[in-house]
Amino acid sequence: MDFAKGHGTENDFLILPDPEDQLDLTASTVASLCDRRAGLGADGILRVVRGDHAWFMDYRNADGSVAEMCGNGVRVFAHYLRSRGLVDSDEFVVRTRAGDRTVLVTDWDEQDATVSVGMGPATVTGVSTARIGDLSLAGLGVDLGNPHLAAVIPGLTPERLAALDLVAPEFDEEFFPAGVNVEILTELVDDRVHMRVHERGVGETRSCGTGTVAAARAALADAGLTDGAVTVTVPGGEVTVTIAGEESTLTGPSRIIATGTVQI
C-alpha cells in the first residue's frame, strides 16, 4: 500500500491513506511497520480515514496500541491532507478519538508547512509522582484527551536535562490507569522552557505535541500564572503553546520527507 513519512519537530510518523476504512491494521502490523530495523521506522502511525464531515486521524503508538490524540501527529496529518488536495481550505477540522480539532495550515507546500492546532482545554487532574531511575518527580496531571504528568524541576538547566537517562518511568497506576506520558522540564524563564518526554507505548521521543501543551500548563502554574504563550524547546526543535482560559493552541512545523509503497 501507499505510505508517506513525516515528522513534527522530529516526532516521526508513517501516514497510511485508507479513505474507505478497509485496512485491517493490527497491533502487530503497526509494530512491524514502526520497527526501526526491520520496518520503515516511526514513533507511530497516522491512518487517514474519510468521515462523514471530516477526515479521521486513527493514531497508533509504535507498539501497536491505540492512542486518543497526538499533537505533533495531527499537525503532520493536517499538512498531508492540505498538501495532497484532500481538503480545499487552509482551516478545517480533523476528527480524533479525543474529539474534533480545528487546524490552520499556513506556508505550506508538499514538503513543509506551519500548522496551528486548537488543542482544547489542558485540564489539570491533580498532583502525582513518578520515578525515572534515581530521579523522583512530582508534577501536575494534565488531561489533553490523553494523560500526562508534567514535572517542573527547580534549578534544572537545559544541560542537566539533556544529560538525564530517561528510562521507563514508575508511576501511580491508580492515578493513571491507562498509562501516562511523562514530561520533565525546566522552570519558565523569559516565556521559554526546555522539555524531554517519555511517551507511553513508545519510549522517549524527540517531541510530543500534547506533552508540550501539558508542559506549558505546568510551567505557567509553577510561575503563578494561568494563561500565557510559552516557547517549548524539545530535542527535535521548538513549538509555541498558547493557553487562554479553556483553550490551548499548539503551533509548530511539519515536514513530509518521503512517499512510497510498502508490503504489509
Side-chain angles (χ1 to χ4, degrees), residues 104-163:
L104 176 64
V105 185
T106 57
D107 304 320
W108 61 270
D109 57 27
E110 285 202 350
Q111 184 176 45
D112 291 290
T114 298
V115 184
S116 294
V117 183
M119 300 288 287
T123 304
V124 175
T125 58
V127 177
S128 189
T129 59
R131 187 173 183 84
I132 295 181
D134 294 331
L135 180 64
S136 295
L137 308 171
L140 287 185
V142 183
D143 183 2
L144 281 144
N146 58 355
H148 295 267
L149 178 64
V152 179
I153 307 299
L156 182 66
T157 65
E159 294 75 20
R160 286 178 55 207
L161 175 65

Side-chain angles (χ1 to χ4, degrees), residues 17-191:
D18 185 24
E20 304 306 320
D21 195 14
Q22 296 178 329
L23 179 62
D24 181 18
L25 196 60
T26 66
S28 61
T29 297
V30 170
S32 295
L33 287 170
C34 291
D35 189 292
R36 296 193 182 276
R37 293 183 181 273
L40 293 169
D43 291 325
I45 281 181
L46 311 171
R47 188 169 68 104
V48 184
V49 181
R50 183 183 290 112
D52 292 337
H53 305 292
W55 290 90
F56 172 64
M57 183 182 81
D58 176 17
Y59 179 63
R60 313 292 181 93
N61 292 315
D63 67 352
S65 59
V66 173
E68 302 89 349
M69 176 56 183
C70 176
N72 290 327
V74 76
R75 293 206 318 276
V76 174
F77 188 90
H79 177 199
Y80 179 85
L81 293 180
R82 186 68 181 106
S83 64
R84 272 56 183 177
L86 299 176
V87 295
D88 57 9
S89 64
D90 291 342
E91 187 171 6
F92 53 94
V93 170
V94 172
R95 305 200 73 177
T96 77
R97 290 187 177 86
D100 291 352
R101 297 291 184 261
T102 299
V103 299
L104 176 64
V105 185
T106 57
D107 304 320
W108 61 270
D109 57 27
E110 285 202 350
Q111 184 176 45
D112 291 290
T114 298
V115 184
S116 294
V117 183
M119 300 288 287
T123 304
V124 175
T125 58
V127 177
S128 189
T129 59
R131 187 173 183 84
I132 295 181
D134 294 331
L135 180 64
S136 295
L137 308 171
L140 287 185
V142 183
D143 183 2
L144 281 144
N146 58 355
H148 295 267
L149 178 64
V152 179
I153 307 299
L156 182 66
T157 65
E159 294 75 20
R160 286 178 55 207
L161 175 65
L164 292 177
D165 183 14
L166 255 61
V167 297
E170 302 173 25
F171 59 90
D172 185 343
E173 295 184 7
E174 290 188 6
F175 197 93
F176 297 109
V180 65
N181 303 297
V182 177
E183 290 83 30
I184 301 174
L185 58 143
T186 60
E187 296 168 288
L188 186 68
V189 177
D190 296 329
D191 299 323

